[in-house]
Amino acid sequence: MIGPATYYRPEHRASLDERTRALVDRREAVLSPGYRLFYAHPVEFVRGSGTKLYTRDGDEYLDVYNNVPSVGHAHPRVTAAIAEQSALLNTHTRYLHEGLIDYAELLLGSFPAALDTLTLVCTGSEANDLALRVATHATGHRGVIVTENAYHGVTTEIAAISPSLGGADSLADWVRPVRPPVGDGTAMLRDARAAIAELQAAGHGVAALIVDTAFASDGFIPPSPGTRAALVAVQRLVHDAGGLVIADEVQPGFGRLGIGGPGSGDGAASLWGFPRHGLEPDLVTIGKPMANGQPVAGLVARRALMQAFGERVRYFNTFAGTPVAVAAARATWDVLHEDRLPEHAAVVGTELRGMLDELATRHDRLRGVRGSGLYLGVDIVDPATGDPDSPAAVNLVGALRERRILISASGRDNAALKLRPPLPFSRADAERFITEFDAALSELG
Amino acid sequence: MIGPATYYRPEHRASLDERTRALVDRREAVLSPGYRLFYAHPVEFVRGSGTKLYTRDGDEYLDVYNNVPSVGHAHPRVTAAIAEQSALLNTHTRYLHEGLIDYAELLLGSFPAALDTLTLVCTGSEANDLALRVATHATGHRGVIVTENAYHGVTTEIAAISPSLGGADSLADWVRPVRPPVGDGTAMLRDARAAIAELQAAGHGVAALIVDTAFASDGFIPPSPGTRAALVAVQRLVHDAGGLVIADEVQPGFGRLGIGGPGSGDGAASLWGFPRHGLEPDLVTIGKPMANGQPVAGLVARRALMQAFGERVRYFNTFAGTPVAVAAARATWDVLHEDRLPEHAAVVGTELRGMLDELATRHDRLRGVRGSGLYLGVDIVDPATGDPDSPAAVNLVGALRERRILISASGRDNAALKLRPPLPFSRADAERFITEFDAALSELG
């Protein structure tokens, strides 16, 4: 019997069925060893629809993991838009194309007036890389402040500000991690004050503070009066030091958090996570769900910053803002709004949290249900000690895969389950997930 | 009367037609000022087919500029593949998908056996960024050698090794530019020897030499016995210093150079530019034409390098290697081979060069016709002095736009015209281009 695993490893090979083994062997012969396959028994999907994925044999899996196909797998509106535009034209932004302009106007309408300028790129990594380039040019400083388990991407520059990558991706010497805004937020404020002083003493100065506005890899930190006060204070310190504030909305953005939806208790509706924290960012990066799977990402910024950058630096991104990329982003935007998916995320997210809370009363391995909308985390603990239990979390992920539920373990201890399904996730989907989760928890003991 | 310009500027506004002016105004209000529009009178295209682009009014333009839609604008095979796969499934590389494996096997089959491992990314910038990360991890060194007018991309790391960006994008202190392999190649060899010594003396060591194998921004340098000997010698010096060799095939790759095709005189057929220079790269980056406009790029490497990198570094690229990305790349690959476009590039490229040579006998503004396949350059000079004449080159680009021919000026002096049409460019297309070019040159005087 093969034990649970987040990723396939060679010792699982013998237990694979023939087709899977052959595919895995062929894949390993040609792809970089850095590629990972989920699960001890990797899954091959051939079709998707809404919140479901299907194998070659027609087995249906419920997707509680994938946040990129945000309006649902293979959404017909998005698919049709891609097909139609591909058949017409796909060039670049040095010719005029009205679709790009229409989309930029719509998108910027969802931001505060000061954030009035868009630059499109292809990936969240490129967006954060560009944001940091703009910040270093604008400030003349090099120092960057990040939260202590942050992940912002994989370019050389951005890996160097992503503590969660760990290992050989050590932080650059101009980066200072600070504790995230937990509890009353004073720890973050204290750390930020020290980080600024250190960066200034080292001659780096402060170019930027960058935060994921869901603080997902730091444990899903919801806003509270204390954390809000702390973040606003840190923001002021950064600005006073001549630095800029970058909100990384690549994962939380585009309505996933259900902010302002029914029962969300978050105040004014927003597609973005930053306003509820009291943040007034100078630069906002967006991506993942932006075009439901087409490689589209972006940087939204105050105009003065981009004006200065554009005068000094040549930046052209071949594949960014093409007619096909924009058509996919526009169709995704239209479905998101017409189907009121942010409001739906608020409603179903609240229901799902309620179901998880109820489950936690019956399973003492479950703790700390938290998050917003359809971006939730829950800790798996050792019932005896209450400590994070990573093997149990990984075991649950594997058990749920056998029960045809896709989910992942993450967090600093790899002991939190992360729930971020496509946004059309229904109450029935939530009930199906809870039924299987309940059974898997019971089996685990 | 408005003078010629490579890009639209505010002083051109008054001479625009009403619709164009309205679009430009709207665009400037929402996009970063860093965005540029080609031409004093920007063009709006709404449809493309093969080597032609069409405006809203149905005016047909011949495309001698765009190298991304390599198998032709809106190619029906590629379009159908994208539409079909989008409607089925688009996930990521952590589930099994046979299309990715099939494509990787095909692609690697076009490389020497030692280059046996593929990593997919989304853009050429990401590919070069990753190549350099792998090189710095593998060698433990930081120093990079580039040619003196090289362009390799726009991430923070890659902008810092791209001298052609100039301006505020100054080279990092661990970068040494060397002269490209012109003439007998000894200048490059001498520069490289000095660069290695300097990098070692500064404590950076040598991580990599990176070269665009068409040396396009350095002036399109064809291989000769001298340049080949020089590049092989430089390669040996870099390897002896513990560094790696990166071939940047993002622009020249996928058959554009027509290598080994009829009349090319390049020896063995190859989709890639590096073999004809005698280079045996450790890492090869590919991109632009790879999926005819979908954001797909990649890194092909020796396995040992990726093994070591994968063990030490977590690298996952969300949008890379998705089923849709791979379907587009595969369809592009199939059309490229079934229509024998590399061979076609050799034939038509040779014809086009012949036509340009003939034109140069009648217009003394034309000099130095050079390049391979359908990637050609020609200098525009002052007929009195023979010096590069950038205003004349820009003027010609604008005059050709009025004659519905798309082309660009580039090179260090911005006085070279760069020809890189979609590969189905026909003899009739070449004749149409030459007719208009002839007329524009006559008008210019």
Side-chain angles (χ1 to χ4, degrees):
Chain A
M1 184 54 196
I2 298 296
T6 303
Y7 297 108
Y8 168 80
R9 292 194 303 266
E11 59 261 41
H12 304 133
R13 184 173 180 279
S15 69
L16 299 182
D17 66 72
E18 200 174 337
R19 176 178 169 86
T20 304
R21 187 162 59 230
L23 281 181
V24 168
D25 287 351
R26 285 177 59 202
R27 186 177 136 121
E28 297 204 324
V30 288
L31 296 191
S32 166
Y35 276 84
R36 301 274 180 270
L37 279 168
F38 277 143
Y39 308 120
H41 294 162
V43 198
E44 180 192 8
F45 292 116
V46 299
R47 190 166 71 79
S49 177
T51 56
K52 313 299 190 307
L53 287 167
Y54 299 88
T55 65
R56 192 169 288 273
D57 297 329
D59 293 339
E60 178 186 284
Y61 284 67
L62 174 64
D63 189 352
V64 195
Y65 172 76
N66 288 294
N67 55 351
V68 170
S70 192
V71 303
H73 288 283
H75 193 287
R77 281 277 292 280
V78 181
T79 298
I82 293 169
E84 191 182 331
Q85 187 59 54
S86 293
L88 272 179
L89 179 77
N90 200 29
T91 53
H92 51 77
T93 58
R94 284 171 171 168
Y95 305 126
L96 280 170
H97 200 262
E98 193 167 15
L100 168 61
I101 303 168
D102 290 341
Y103 180 72
E105 289 172 349
L106 273 178
L107 178 70
L108 291 176
S110 70
F111 285 90
L115 294 166
D116 59 356
T117 301
L118 175 65
T119 306
L120 288 173
V121 295
C122 296
T123 68
S125 293
E126 285 191 343
N128 283 327
D129 194 291
L130 178 59
L132 220 48
R133 275 187 84 191
V134 171
T136 53
H137 275 280
T139 63
H141 301 158
R142 190 69 176 106
V144 177
I145 299 171
V146 298
T147 56
E148 62 184 0
N149 200 42
Y151 172 78
H152 296 293
V154 294
T155 64
T156 304
E157 177 84 355
I158 298 302
I161 68 159
S162 293
S164 76
L165 288 176
D169 285 299
S170 49
L171 297 185
D173 67 355
W174 38 266
V175 181
R176 291 294 180 283
V178 300
R179 280 171 286 182
V182 287
D184 64 0
T186 52
M188 183 188 198
L189 185 54
R190 205 157 52 236
D191 287 359
R193 196 171 277 127
I196 291 169
E198 279 179 41
L199 288 170
Q200 289 175 330
H204 299 304
V206 180
L209 163 76
I210 179 168
V211 293
D212 162 8
T213 64
F215 297 97
S217 59
D218 284 296
F220 290 99
I221 300 162
S224 72
T227 62
R228 196 177 157 103
L231 276 164
V232 169
V234 170
Q235 174 172 260
R236 189 172 311 118
L237 290 176
V238 168
H239 280 150
D240 287 350
L244 300 176
V245 173
I246 304 171
D248 181 342
E249 296 277 355
V250 171
Q251 299 217 53
F254 286 100
R256 173 156 296 277
L257 301 180
I259 297 167
S264 67
D266 280 311
S270 175
L271 296 181
W272 316 110
F274 65 83
R276 66 187 188 144
H277 292 293
L279 291 172
E280 295 176 2
D282 305 286
L283 300 143
V284 179
T285 55
I286 56 182
K288 280 204 190 329
M290 191 165 176
N292 216 44
Q294 280 278 304
V296 180
L299 172 64
V300 177
R302 292 197 285 107
R303 177 148 292 249
L305 295 172
M306 300 314 294
Q307 182 77 43
F309 185 73
E311 281 163 9
R312 300 180 61 200
V313 173
R314 273 173 52 197
Y315 185 92
F316 173 66
N317 191 313
T318 304
F319 294 140
T322 65
V324 171
V326 168
R330 173 58 187 269
T332 303
W333 176 272
D334 288 346
V335 173
L336 190 77
H337 286 82
E338 288 169 23
D339 293 358
R340 301 177 65 83
L341 291 175
E343 293 85 343
H344 174 81
V347 172
V348 176
T350 303
E351 290 175 347
L352 181 55
R353 277 190 62 158
M355 296 177 200
L356 287 165
D357 284 334
E358 191 279 326
L359 208 58
T361 65
R362 294 187 286 111
H363 295 280
D364 50 8
R365 281 195 165 281
L366 227 57
R367 297 271 171 88
V369 179
R370 63 200 180 279
S372 302
L374 283 169
Y375 203 9
L376 304 177
V378 54
D379 294 324
I380 305 301
V381 301
D382 181 324
T385 64
D387 292 337
D389 188 343
S390 176
V394 171
N395 202 320
L396 280 167
V397 169
L400 284 167
R401 175 246 182 275
E402 299 305 324
R403 293 174 173 278
R404 300 188 185 157
I405 304 282
L406 304 174
I407 198 173
S408 76
S410 67
R412 189 193 322 227
D413 304 304
N414 201 40
L417 298 189
K418 192 156 66 171
L419 286 64
R420 44 172 213 191
L423 296 183
F425 200 72
S426 68
R427 185 181 170 95
D429 289 335
E431 285 165 350
R432 174 172 165 188
F433 164 64
I434 292 291
T435 299
E436 301 297 341
F437 193 20
D438 193 356
L441 282 162
S442 297
E443 280 177 8
L444 182 66
Chain B
M1 184 56 196
I2 298 298
T6 303
Y7 298 110
Y8 168 81
R9 291 193 304 265
E11 59 261 39
H12 306 133
R13 184 172 179 280
S15 69
L16 298 182
D17 65 74
E18 202 175 335
R19 177 178 170 85
T20 304
R21 187 162 59 231
L23 282 181
V24 168
D25 287 350
R26 286 176 58 203
R27 185 177 137 122
E28 297 204 325
V30 288
L31 296 191
S32 167
Y35 277 84
R36 301 274 180 271
L37 279 168
F38 277 142
Y39 307 119
H41 294 163
V43 198
E44 179 191 10
F45 293 116
V46 298
R47 190 167 70 79
S49 177
T51 56
K52 313 298 190 307
L53 287 167
Y54 300 88
T55 66
R56 191 170 290 273
D57 297 329
D59 292 340
E60 178 187 284
Y61 284 67
L62 174 64
D63 189 352
V64 194
Y65 172 76
N66 286 295
N67 55 351
V68 170
S70 193
V71 302
H73 287 283
H75 193 286
R77 281 277 292 280
V78 181
T79 299
I82 293 169
E84 189 181 333
Q85 187 58 54
S86 293
L88 272 180
L89 179 76
N90 200 28
T91 52
H92 50 76
T93 57
R94 284 171 170 168
Y95 305 126
L96 281 170
H97 199 264
E98 194 168 15
L100 168 61
I101 302 168
D102 290 340
Y103 180 72
E105 290 172 348
L106 272 178
L107 178 69
L108 291 176
S110 70
F111 285 90
L115 293 167
D116 59 355
T117 301
L118 176 65
T119 306
L120 289 172
V121 295
C122 296
T123 67
S125 293
E126 285 191 343
N128 283 327
D129 194 291
L130 178 59
L132 220 47
R133 276 187 83 191
V134 171
T136 52
H137 274 281
T139 62
H141 300 158
R142 191 69 176 104
V144 177
I145 299 172
V146 298
T147 55
E148 61 184 1
N149 201 40
Y151 172 78
H152 296 293
V154 293
T155 65
T156 304
E157 177 83 355
I158 298 302
I161 68 159
S162 293
S164 76
L165 288 175
D169 285 299
S170 49
L171 297 186
D173 66 355
W174 37 266
V175 181
R176 291 294 179 283
V178 300
R179 279 172 286 181
V182 286
D184 63 359
T186 52
M188 183 188 198
L189 185 55
R190 206 158 50 235
D191 287 359
R193 197 170 278 127
I196 290 169
E198 280 180 41
L199 288 170
Q200 289 176 329
H204 299 304
V206 180
L209 163 76
I210 179 168
V211 293
D212 162 8
T213 63
F215 297 97
S217 60
D218 284 296
F220 291 99
I221 300 163
S224 71
T227 62
R228 196 177 157 105
L231 276 164
V232 168
V234 170
Q235 174 172 261
R236 190 173 311 120
L237 289 177
V238 168
H239 280 151
D240 287 349
L244 301 176
V245 172
I246 304 171
D248 181 341
E249 296 276 355
V250 171
Q251 299 217 55
F254 286 101
R256 173 156 296 277
L257 301 180
I259 297 167
S264 68
D266 280 310
S270 175
L271 295 181
W272 316 110
F274 63 84
R276 65 186 188 146
H277 292 294
L279 290 173
E280 295 176 2
D282 304 286
L283 301 144
V284 179
T285 55
I286 56 182
K288 279 206 191 327
M290 190 166 177
N292 217 44
Q294 279 278 306
V296 180
L299 172 64
V300 176
R302 292 197 284 107
R303 177 148 292 250
L305 295 173
M306 301 314 294
Q307 181 79 42
F309 185 73
E311 280 163 9
R312 300 180 61 201
V313 173
R314 273 173 51 200
Y315 186 92
F316 174 66
N317 191 313
T318 304
F319 294 140
T322 65
V324 171
V326 167
R330 174 59 187 269
T332 303
W333 176 273
D334 287 345
V335 173
L336 190 76
H337 286 82
E338 289 169 23
D339 292 358
R340 302 178 64 83
L341 291 175
E343 293 84 344
H344 174 80
V347 172
V348 176
T350 302
E351 290 175 348
L352 181 55
R353 277 190 62 158
M355 296 179 200
L356 287 165
D357 284 334
E358 191 280 326
L359 208 58
T361 65
R362 293 187 288 110
H363 294 282
D364 51 7
R365 282 195 164 280
L366 227 57
R367 296 270 172 90
V369 178
R370 62 201 180 278
S372 303
L374 283 169
Y375 203 9
L376 303 177
V378 53
D379 293 323
I380 305 302
V381 301
D382 181 324
T385 64
D387 291 337
D389 188 342
S390 176
V394 171
N395 202 321
L396 280 168
V397 170
L400 285 167
R401 175 247 182 273
E402 300 305 324
R403 294 174 173 277
R404 300 187 185 157
I405 303 282
L406 304 175
I407 199 174
S408 75
S410 66
R412 189 194 322 225
D413 303 305
N414 201 41
L417 298 189
K418 193 156 65 172
L419 285 64
R420 44 171 212 192
L423 296 184
F425 199 73
S426 67
R427 186 182 168 93
D429 289 336
E431 285 165 350
R432 174 171 165 190
F433 164 65
I434 291 291
T435 299
E436 301 297 340
F437 193 21
D438 193 358
L441 281 162
S442 297
E443 278 176 9
L444 182 65

